[in-house]
């Protein structure tokens, strides 16, 4: 009896969006999709307005062939996945856009496109989403009711468990216990459970992205790790007990470490993830280590969502100067995590 060859695994469907129309997103997407072999590991569908996509190609001086589709449901069954699919939307007109400025129309258009992609994820038509940079001010002007896009995603997708942003730079990922809140409120957000949840989530997410055995470090909250309690007791009362709980459960976690030294250990490869206590504690270090390469991963959602960690760069929008590296890295993470969702459970 002749053996029948095993068919190749399905490619993950990765939805890609153009971001804020007044920023560098359209240019970045054109540069991304012009990369050789970019569709080798994913069935890519670009979702956005046709005029904006054309403008992005003109700015990047790249011409990218696409295959038109009329719905996300068509994408997985396409005959030619070598070409990115293009699902044209009608969310904003060119006359509404003043390049380089935060505007309500741009924010509303971003929300509409992202919601469309998440609807596709809910129906099982999309395995991962990668969005070009957006602007929170524009989104709030355009109708965003939450402090940031992550909280919008979580509500829209019906998330009830713990979720948080990850920032990544190559093999190093960071999460944070609190995010887009005033610094004066950060101490009140610390809790043993939130630290445990943040560490568990980043550990599992790294595994889903292809790192089978990551090691996790937990940062202290106070200068010098509290100096044994004379410069704050959060390390003693909250953070160390959370680390002990995680270790007892078998999660490879160490800490708390003073925040001004832990990134040196991670840089040298001793840890692949750091749980930070508030936004700038991790963001400053990651962006100094590689601003043009960093990626934000929306952690704890039922569908992987990624984006370059930098913003809309209004000051260089339309000038053909945008660096595609962070967008390329964001796309690759979305591709890997989307592929992991297609694998049967062991």
């Amino acid at each position: 009896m002749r053996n029948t060859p095993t068919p190749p695994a399905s490619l993950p469907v990765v939805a890609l969006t153009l971001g804020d129309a007044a920023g560098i997103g359209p240019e970045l997407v054109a540069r991304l999709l012009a990369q050789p072999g970019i569709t080798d590991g994913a069935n890519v569908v670009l979702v956005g307005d046709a005029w904006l996509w054309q403008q992005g190609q003109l700015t990047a001086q790249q011409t990218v062939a696409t295959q038109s589709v009329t719905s996300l449901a068509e994408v997985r069954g396409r005959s030619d996945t070598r070409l990115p699919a293009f699902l044209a939307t009608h969310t904003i007109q060119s006359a509404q856009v003043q390049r380089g400025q935060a505007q309500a129309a741009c924010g509303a258009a971003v929300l509409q496109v992202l919601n469309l992609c998440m609807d596709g994820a809910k129906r099982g038509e999309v395995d991962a989403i990668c969005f070009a940079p957006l602007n929170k001010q524009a989104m709030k002007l355009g109708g965003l009711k939450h402090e940031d896009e992550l909280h919008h995603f979580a509500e829209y997708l019906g998330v009830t468990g713990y979720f948080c942003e990850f920032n990544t730079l190559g093999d190093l990922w960071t999460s944070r216990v609190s995010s887009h809140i005033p610094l004066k409120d950060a101490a009140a957000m610390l809790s043993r459970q939130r630290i445990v949840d943040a560490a568990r989530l980043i550990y599992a997410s790294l595994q889903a992205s292809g790192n089978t055995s990551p090691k996790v470090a937990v940062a202290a909250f106070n200068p010098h790790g509290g100096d044994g309690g004379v410069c704050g007791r959060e390390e003693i009362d909250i953070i160390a007990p959370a680390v002990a709980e995680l270790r007892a459960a078998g999660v490879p976690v160490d800490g708390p470490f003073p925040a001004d030294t832990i990134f040196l250990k991670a840089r040298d490869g001793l840890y692949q993830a750091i749980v930070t206590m508030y936004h700038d504690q991790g963001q400053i270090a990651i962006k100094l280590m590689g601003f043009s390469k960093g990626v934000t991963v929306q952690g704890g959602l039922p569908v992987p969502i990624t984006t370059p960690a930098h913003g809309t760069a209004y000051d260089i929008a339309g000038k053909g100067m945008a660096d595609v590296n962070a967008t390329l890295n964001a796309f690759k993470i979305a591709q890997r995590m989307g592929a992991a969702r297609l694998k049967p459970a062991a």
Side-chain angles (χ1 to χ4, degrees):
M1 180 177 176
R2 187 171 63 183
N3 291 329
T4 302
T6 302
S10 298
L11 294 177
V13 174
V14 178
L16 183 63
T17 79
L18 296 166
D20 188 299
I24 61 173
E27 176 190 349
L28 288 172
V29 172
R31 293 190 186 281
L32 172 69
L33 293 182
Q35 298 284 317
I38 196 67
T39 60
D40 288 352
N43 192 345
V44 181
V45 52
L46 173 61
V47 184
D49 286 35
W51 73 266
L52 187 58
W53 171 226
Q54 184 65 29
Q55 184 183 86
Q57 293 175 81
L58 289 171
T59 302
Q61 297 184 1
Q62 300 284 350
T63 301
V64 180
T66 59
Q67 184 182 70
S68 295
V69 294
T70 58
S71 72
L72 291 173
E74 298 176 35
V75 177
R76 202 181 301 276
R78 288 191 305 141
S79 59
D80 186 359
T81 58
R82 293 171 300 175
L83 290 179
F86 179 53
L87 176 58
T89 57
H90 304 280
T91 65
I92 191 169
Q93 298 176 8
S94 59
Q96 296 176 279
V97 179
Q98 182 66 42
R99 186 177 282 163
Q101 296 182 15
Q103 299 143 82
C106 295
V110 164
L111 281 169
Q112 189 174 337
V113 171
L114 288 171
N115 290 350
L116 189 157
C117 293
M118 288 191 289
D119 287 339
K122 288 180 181 180
R123 295 190 298 265
E125 299 162 356
V126 169
D127 302 306
I129 299 167
C130 178
F131 63 90
L134 47 76
N135 181 277
K136 290 179 178 60
Q137 180 187 0
M139 290 178 70
K140 288 178 180 179
L141 291 171
L144 178 68
K145 304 301 183 185
H146 300 84
E147 64 189 57
D148 55 30
E149 65 274 15
L150 173 59
H151 286 75
H152 172 71
F153 297 156
E155 180 179 281
Y156 200 91
L157 294 168
V159 175
T160 57
Y162 184 81
F163 56 90
C164 71
E165 278 189 357
F166 304 137
N167 285 96
T168 81
L169 183 64
D171 294 331
L172 174 61
W173 288 37
T174 66
S175 65
R176 47 190 184 255
V177 175
S178 65
S179 190
H180 298 113
I181 60 171
L183 185 57
K184 66 181 178 61
D185 298 332
M189 293 295 292
L190 293 183
S191 73
R192 178 170 171 170
Q193 190 59 55
R194 287 179 66 84
I195 294 166
V196 167
D197 289 342
R200 285 185 177 277
L201 182 56
I202 199 168
Y203 179 68
S205 298
L206 266 167
Q207 290 181 312
S209 74
N211 189 330
T212 57
S213 54
K215 291 189 66 177
V216 181
V218 177
F221 179 71
N222 294 296
H224 305 163
D227 275 339
V230 301
C231 190
R233 291 192 54 86
E234 283 81 4
E235 290 74 20
I236 296 170
D237 297 337
I238 301 172
I239 304 174
V243 171
E245 179 180 334
L246 288 159
R247 291 176 66 86
V251 182
V253 175
D254 295 327
F257 296 103
D260 59 357
T261 59
I262 184 53
F263 279 88
L264 300 176
K265 296 178 185 290
R267 180 199 63 186
D268 294 339
L270 297 179
Y271 296 97
Q272 290 73 53
I274 302 174
V275 178
T276 62
M277 297 299 111
Y278 55 90
H279 183 278
D280 283 6
Q281 192 179 57
Q283 285 287 78
I284 291 172
I286 282 285
K287 290 189 176 183
L288 278 173
M289 292 167 70
F291 181 78
S292 65
K293 300 178 182 178
V295 174
T296 299
V297 179
Q298 314 291 332
L301 306 181
V303 58
I305 303 180
T306 69
T307 189
H310 60 71
T312 48
Y314 284 152
D315 57 323
I316 62 169
K319 297 181 180 179
M321 300 166 55
D323 187 330
V324 75
N325 280 318
T327 304
L328 178 60
N329 292 337
F331 176 81
K332 288 180 177 178
I333 292 174
Q335 173 189 313
R336 291 199 304 270
M337 296 184 79
R341 296 181 75 226
L342 293 179
K343 294 179 180 178

